[in-house]
Amino acid sequence: MVRVAPLELDGYTFVSVEVELPQTHLAMVQCDEGYVMCGALDIQLLRDKLAHRNIVAARAVGVKNLSELLDGTVESCTQSAEKLGIQPGMSIRDALLAMKQQ
């Protein structure tokens, strides 16, 4: 099952995506500027091999659904996310707002 829905956060609209797969569940929240995702996101690939694309992305680990993702913290992020002030340990909600307030 795939669910796509709008998500309002502090007056900004994001798109939430949840994908139920065998033995796992993917959760992501995106906006035009970037996205946050569960631990399935390969931040190291984005930092190393795709850094030239300037992708703004952050990852939370240990989350099982959209609610947990939104309540989670940034475990890692791309260089372009760091330029917006996003850092490991920051709340996912604050990271999303940082993407919109650039």
Side-chain angles (χ1 to χ4, degrees), residues 33-35 46 50-58 77-81:
E33 297 77 15
Y35 59 96
L46 299 180
L50 301 179
H52 64 282
R53 293 187 185 179
N54 299 314
I55 297 168
V56 175
C77 61
T78 62
Q79 298 94 318
S80 292

Side-chain angles (χ1 to χ4, degrees), residues 6-100:
L7 173 74
E8 296 293 324
L9 182 61
D10 284 6
Y12 296 103
T13 301
F14 298 86
V15 176
S16 66
V17 180
E18 293 182 275
V19 181
E20 293 179 26
L21 299 169
Q23 308 303 320
T24 194
H25 187 102
L26 304 179
M28 178 180 70
V29 177
Q30 69 152 65
C31 60
D32 290 341
E33 297 77 15
Y35 59 96
V36 298
M37 191 171 163
C38 64
L41 179 61
D42 189 348
I43 289 288
Q44 205 58 50
L45 173 73
L46 299 180
R47 289 185 66 87
D48 295 343
K49 299 197 186 281
L50 301 179
H52 64 282
R53 293 187 185 179
N54 299 314
I55 297 168
V56 175
R59 173 173 93 162
V61 295
V63 299
K64 297 179 184 122
N65 55 48
L66 184 61
S67 178
E68 289 182 11
L69 175 63
L70 289 170
D71 290 337
T73 58
V74 173
E75 181 268 339
S76 56
C77 61
T78 62
Q79 298 94 318
S80 292
E82 290 171 346
K83 290 178 183 175
L84 299 179
I86 299 168
Q87 296 291 325
M90 174 184 248
S91 78
I92 290 296
R93 290 174 190 267
D94 286 345
L96 287 166
L97 293 174
M99 290 177 195
K100 293 302 281 185

